[in-house]
PDB file of all heavy atoms in Angstrom:
ATOM      1  N   GLY A 199     150.645-182.963  68.145  1.00 90.00           N
ATOM      2  CA  GLY A 199     149.832-184.151  67.888  1.00 90.00           C
ATOM      3  C   GLY A 199     148.831-184.514  68.966  1.00 90.00           C
ATOM      4  O   GLY A 199     148.374-185.649  69.037  1.00 90.00           O
ATOM      5  N   PHE A 200     148.466-183.557  69.822  1.00 90.00           N
ATOM      6  CA  PHE A 200     147.436-183.837  70.840  1.00 90.00           C
ATOM      7  C   PHE A 200     146.295-182.823  70.711  1.00 90.00           C
ATOM      8  O   PHE A 200     146.076-182.013  71.604  1.00 90.00           O
ATOM      9  CB  PHE A 200     148.030-183.761  72.247  1.00 90.00           C
ATOM     10  CG  PHE A 200     149.056-184.805  72.546  1.00 90.00           C
ATOM     11  CD1 PHE A 200     150.404-184.551  72.325  1.00 90.00           C
ATOM     12  CD2 PHE A 200     148.673-186.037  73.049  1.00 90.00           C
ATOM     13  CE1 PHE A 200     151.351-185.510  72.611  1.00 90.00           C
ATOM     14  CE2 PHE A 200     149.625-187.002  73.343  1.00 90.00           C
ATOM     15  CZ  PHE A 200     150.971-186.744  73.119  1.00 90.00           C
ATOM     16  N   SER A 205     146.503-186.390  76.445  1.00 73.00           N
ATOM     17  CA  SER A 205     146.545-187.727  77.017  1.00 73.00           C
ATOM     18  C   SER A 205     146.691-188.736  75.886  1.00 73.00           C
ATOM     19  O   SER A 205     146.414-188.425  74.733  1.00 73.00           O
ATOM     20  CB  SER A 205     145.268-188.013  77.813  1.00 73.00           C
ATOM     21  OG  SER A 205     144.179-188.085  76.933  1.00 73.00           O
ATOM     22  N   GLY A 206     147.160-189.940  76.222  1.00 73.00           N
ATOM     23  CA  GLY A 206     147.328-190.975  75.202  1.00 73.00           C
ATOM     24  C   GLY A 206     148.577-190.735  74.376  1.00 73.00           C
ATOM     25  O   GLY A 206     149.545-190.138  74.833  1.00 73.00           O
ATOM     26  N   THR A 207     148.514-191.218  73.145  1.00 76.00           N
ATOM     27  CA  THR A 207     149.669-191.070  72.259  1.00 76.00           C
ATOM     28  C   THR A 207     149.427-189.946  71.270  1.00 76.00           C
ATOM     29  O   THR A 207     148.309-189.740  70.810  1.00 76.00           O
ATOM     30  CB  THR A 207     149.900-192.368  71.464  1.00 76.00           C
ATOM     31  OG1 THR A 207     148.656-192.756  70.868  1.00 76.00           O
ATOM     32  CG2 THR A 207     150.399-193.482  72.357  1.00 76.00           C
ATOM     33  N   GLY A 208     150.487-189.229  70.929  1.00 81.00           N
ATOM     34  CA  GLY A 208     150.365-188.115  70.001  1.00 81.00           C
ATOM     35  C   GLY A 208     150.292-188.595  68.560  1.00 81.00           C
ATOM     36  O   GLY A 208     150.712-189.705  68.242  1.00 81.00           O
ATOM     37  N   ILE A 209     149.742-187.731  67.709  1.00 86.00           N
ATOM     38  CA  ILE A 209     149.659-188.061  66.287  1.00 86.00           C
ATOM     39  C   ILE A 209     150.968-187.627  65.634  1.00 86.00           C
ATOM     40  O   ILE A 209     151.346-186.463  65.702  1.00 86.00           O
ATOM     41  CB  ILE A 209     148.472-187.333  65.636  1.00 86.00           C
ATOM     42  CG1 ILE A 209     147.170-187.756  66.328  1.00 86.00           C
ATOM     43  CG2 ILE A 209     148.423-187.604  64.144  1.00 86.00           C
ATOM     44  CD1 ILE A 209     145.982-186.906  65.969  1.00 86.00           C
TER      45      ILE A 209
ATOM     46  N   THR B 414     145.453-196.615  66.497  1.00 87.00           N
ATOM     47  CA  THR B 414     145.898-196.031  67.766  1.00 87.00           C
ATOM     48  C   THR B 414     145.032-194.818  68.066  1.00 87.00           C
ATOM     49  O   THR B 414     144.309-194.324  67.192  1.00 87.00           O
ATOM     50  CB  THR B 414     147.351-195.564  67.681  1.00 87.00           C
ATOM     51  OG1 THR B 414     147.409-194.476  66.756  1.00 87.00           O
ATOM     52  CG2 THR B 414     148.286-196.680  67.232  1.00 87.00           C
ATOM     53  N   GLU B 415     145.160-194.305  69.282  1.00 83.00           N
ATOM     54  CA  GLU B 415     144.314-193.181  69.675  1.00 83.00           C
ATOM     55  C   GLU B 415     144.506-191.990  68.741  1.00 83.00           C
ATOM     56  O   GLU B 415     143.558-191.347  68.314  1.00 83.00           O
ATOM     57  CB  GLU B 415     144.641-192.798  71.111  1.00 83.00           C
ATOM     58  CG  GLU B 415     143.541-191.989  71.755  1.00 83.00           C
ATOM     59  CD  GLU B 415     143.913-191.580  73.169  1.00 83.00           C
ATOM     60  OE1 GLU B 415     144.518-192.409  73.869  1.00 83.00           O
ATOM     61  OE2 GLU B 415     143.602-190.444  73.543  1.00 83.00           O
ATOM     62  N   GLY B 416     145.790-191.702  68.423  1.00 81.00           N
ATOM     63  CA  GLY B 416     146.081-190.575  67.529  1.00 81.00           C
ATOM     64  C   GLY B 416     145.514-190.800  66.142  1.00 81.00           C
ATOM     65  O   GLY B 416     144.908-189.916  65.550  1.00 81.00           O
TER      66      GLY B 416
END
Side-chain angles (χ1 to χ4, degrees):
Chain A
F200 295 92
S205 67
T207 50
I209 300 168
Chain B
T414 66
E415 199 182 321

